[in-house]
């Protein structure tokens, strides 16, 4: 069994890379950011303040999150039965996710869900605290990063490709603000685990990143004498 924890700041390419690796190795992929985004979306839709710990905490008992794999559309996330996989990919949902993710009750709620998924099966899980908090004994930990400018540029292209309106300068400001929020919060801040491999993707492309990580996984499996 190999559990791969991929952490890093927003826009470093974690989810695209993790998704591809999971597909190539036929193992499960868990996008923990999508879980925070779904909670953020729920709170936004209720018209509540995503930074208000008491209001957000009250919402948790009304939230049911399910992830399911759909062969045609890949991993989907359901918020109280509704497929919100697309609705959570907006700048508003991104900021709401970052806000709710600083609230300890939200982290505790999702930690339980994530740790249950990470029990006894090979998987790739990406987020901010996977190697430090969720799976501290993961067989392989990667800290994926890139310069704020290149991360903002990638996000910009993603929005444009989906036909959403986007402005590079605004995205860059958002990236910098979320980096700051995610790494300075008290509850499980974004940081590289001591035993994580640092991979900076500013100057390497998607295929190279996927190849490098797959090599690391195969080497680790060999070293541990286990199958994937
Ligand atoms: O990876 P993402 O952009 O989809 O994540 C959205 C927000 O959720 C991000 O600002 C930080 C938060 N997050 C977190 O705090 N811990 C995780 N394991 C995953 C995401």
């Amino acid at each position: 069994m190999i559990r791969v924890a991929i952490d890093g700041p927003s826009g470093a390419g974690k989810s695209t890379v993790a998704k591809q690796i999971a597909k190539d190795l036929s193992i499960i992929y868990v996008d923990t950011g999508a879980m925070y985004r779904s909670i953020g979306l729920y709170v936004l839709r209720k018209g509540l303040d995503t930074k208000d710990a008491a209001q957000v905490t009250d919402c948790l008992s009304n939230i049911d999150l399910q992830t399911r794999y759909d062969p045609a559309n890949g991993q989907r996330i359901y918020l109280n039965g509704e497929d919100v996989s697309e609705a959570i990919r907006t700048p508003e949902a991104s900021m709401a996710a970052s806000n709710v993710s600083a609230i300890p009750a939200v982290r505790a709620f999702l930690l339980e869900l994530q740790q249950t998924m990470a029990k006894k099966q090979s998987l790739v899980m990406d987020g901010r605290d996977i190697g430090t908090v969720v799976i501290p004994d993961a067989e392989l930990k990667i800290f994926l990063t890139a310069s704020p400018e290149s991360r903002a540029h990638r996000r910009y292209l993603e929005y444009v490709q989906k036909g959403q309106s986007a402005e590079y300068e605004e995205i860059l400001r958002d990236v910098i603000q979320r980096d700051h929020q995610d790494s300075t919060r008290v509850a499980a801040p974004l940081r590289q685990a001591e035993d994580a491999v640092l991979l900076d993707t500013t100057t390497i492309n998607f295929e190279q990143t996927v190849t490098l990580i797959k090599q690391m996984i195969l080497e680790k499996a060999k070293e541990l004498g286990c199958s994937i």
Side-chain angles (χ1 to χ4, degrees), residues 7-11 14-15 31-34 36-37 89 93-95 97-99 101-102 107 114 126-130 134 155 178 181-182 185 187-188:
D7 289 303
S10 68
K14 295 183 303 291
S15 54
D31 174 358
T32 63
Y36 287 96
R37 286 169 180 268
R89 304 284 161 202
S94 298
M95 200 48 83
S98 182
N99 291 343
S101 74
R107 304 208 70 85
Q114 292 157 2
D126 82 335
R128 303 293 187 289
D129 61 338
I130 312 307
V134 182
R155 270 278 141 89
R178 284 216 287 150
Q181 273 187 202
D182 295 347
R185 68 177 178 226

Side-chain angles (χ1 to χ4, degrees), residues 30-155:
V30 181
D31 174 358
T32 63
M35 300 176 177
Y36 287 96
R37 286 169 180 268
S38 300
I39 295 182
L41 182 68
Y42 180 92
V43 178
L44 276 183
R45 284 177 170 178
K46 287 276 170 216
L48 301 172
D49 177 358
T50 53
K51 283 191 172 178
D52 186 317
Q55 285 186 6
V56 175
T57 303
D58 272 353
C59 291
L60 295 175
S61 57
N62 299 318
I63 294 179
D64 174 62
L65 287 183
Q66 305 276 341
T67 54
R68 246 172 273 154
Y69 183 75
D70 168 358
N73 299 306
Q75 201 77 41
R76 313 298 293 175
I77 187 152
Y78 297 82
L79 168 64
N80 294 336
E82 177 195 347
D83 183 347
V84 290
S85 314
E86 264 89 46
I88 57 172
R89 304 284 161 202
T90 64
E92 293 74 29
S94 298
M95 200 48 83
S98 182
N99 291 343
V100 299
S101 74
I103 299 169
V106 172
R107 304 208 70 85
F109 177 78
L110 291 182
L111 181 64
E112 206 187 318
L113 214 68
Q114 292 157 2
Q115 287 186 329
T116 306
M117 290 175 151
K119 251 183 218 160
K120 299 192 190 109
Q121 61 184 344
S122 286
L123 51 74
V124 183
M125 189 180 274
D126 82 335
R128 303 293 187 289
D129 61 338
I130 312 307
T132 51
V133 177
V134 182
I135 326 177
D137 57 346
E139 282 70 28
L140 182 65
K141 300 180 186 178
I142 312 276
F143 195 81
L144 205 65
T145 189
S147 70
E149 291 74 16
S150 76
R151 289 186 281 123
H153 185 64
R154 287 177 200 163
R155 270 278 141 89

